[in-house]
Amino acid sequence: EAGVTQSPTHLIKTRGQQATLRCSPISGHTSVYWYQQALGLGLQFLLWYDEGEERNRGNFPPRFSGRQFPNYSSELNVNALELEDSALYLCASSFWGSETQYFGPGTRLLVL
Amino acid sequence: GQQLNQSPQSMFIQEGEDVSMNCTSSSIFNTWLWYKQDPGEGPVLLIALYKAGELTSNGRLTAQFGITRKDSFLNISASIPSDVGIYFCAGQGTSGTYKYIFGTGTRLKVLA
């Protein structure tokens, strides 16, 4: 069974641009979570989607947004990129209400 | 954002030695998870704990859900070189939001 997949693996942008990151959950999982992992830091919760709706949001500015599609895949959009947005962005999926989240390999975003 | 206190931050050990790490929180958690992250990859779930006092093993790994529900421990016995990586704890609180808070990670290096 395929795990969580993310694309692209690497993304290079310049300040002020927009970045779009994609995630496909494990088949059967309806919940998708996004995390930011800055260099040397732990995982910071960004967003949680389930059944197409945003269920919860971390302490990030509104320029971090996303959506979940009918097939449960998800996009994370980061507008007006800043240098400090450079990080590994991890997506995880789970069954609704499940305690167990399974992570994808991440997208490494570099903002120059 | 909120984070758990995870210690130690890093460890250098000899192959064959046992390893212990822990996470503490000021809040009560319903669930504790332990993940391992290899360089350039997403975290992989090692052990999930659902009940205070629970002790669960996965091969050479053993984790415990603290009785106070505010801490958890992970032990690795007879370490091997492939144990190298970053170990994260994650706790799910009682608010019902299904949001996990992650520890800052313990960086483990095993010397052959």
Side-chain angles (χ1 to χ4, degrees):
Chain A
E1 180 181 314
V4 177
T5 59
Q6 291 185 246
S7 63
T9 55
H10 294 80
L11 190 57
I12 299 176
K13 295 284 187 178
T14 57
R15 268 189 306 178
Q17 285 188 314
Q18 180 200 39
T20 298
L21 289 64
R22 296 178 179 83
C23 172
S24 292
I26 291 172
S27 176
H29 286 186
T30 62
S31 280
V32 170
Y33 311 80
W34 287 96
Y35 294 86
Q36 182 194 66
Q37 186 179 31
L39 189 62
L41 299 180
L43 284 76
Q44 301 289 331
F45 170 73
L46 270 166
L47 292 159
W48 170 34
Y49 291 96
D50 186 84
E51 296 288 356
E53 293 189 16
E54 182 181 301
R55 303 290 182 176
N56 202 357
R57 182 180 182 87
N59 296 323
F60 282 85
R63 57 192 186 82
F64 287 84
S65 65
R67 54 180 172 166
Q68 187 178 32
F69 300 99
N71 65 355
Y72 304 115
S73 65
S74 176
E75 269 184 5
L76 174 68
N77 295 296
V78 188
N79 294 321
L81 285 165
E82 299 178 2
L83 296 178
E84 51 266 34
D85 295 334
S86 296
L88 179 67
Y89 288 84
L90 291 161
C91 169
S93 75
S94 74
F95 293 110
W96 162 259
S98 167
E99 297 85 357
T100 306
Q101 296 178 19
Y102 296 88
F103 284 85
T107 293
R108 191 164 295 281
L109 173 64
L110 177 61
V111 182
L112 302 175
Chain B
Q2 261 186 306
Q3 283 194 319
L4 300 173
N5 293 318
Q6 187 171 347
S7 65
Q9 287 189 337
S10 61
M11 301 180 72
F12 289 80
I13 62 170
Q14 292 287 338
E15 183 177 359
E17 288 184 352
D18 296 343
V19 174
S20 291
M21 60 191 77
N22 69 81
C23 274
T24 59
S25 168
S26 57
S27 306
I28 290 174
F29 287 126
N30 284 336
T31 302
W32 284 94
L33 305 177
W34 284 92
Y35 289 90
K36 181 193 177 195
Q37 185 176 26
D38 290 328
E41 299 184 13
V44 174
L45 181 68
L46 297 173
I47 293 178
L49 302 162
Y50 303 111
K51 197 166 57 173
E54 180 181 354
L55 186 72
T56 298
S57 293
N58 177 8
R60 295 178 295 106
L61 279 61
T62 301
Q64 185 162 25
F65 194 143
I67 290 177
T68 65
R69 296 171 63 193
K70 292 183 178 181
D71 55 11
S72 181
F73 307 87
L74 176 69
N75 296 313
I76 305 173
S77 63
S79 58
I80 59 178
S82 61
D83 290 335
V84 164
I86 304 176
Y87 292 80
F88 289 100
C89 62
Q92 185 188 49
T94 58
S95 63
T97 62
Y98 298 103
K99 186 174 78 172
Y100 277 91
I101 300 170
F102 281 79
T104 50
T106 294
R107 286 151 185 78
L108 178 64
K109 294 198 175 180
V110 180
L111 306 175

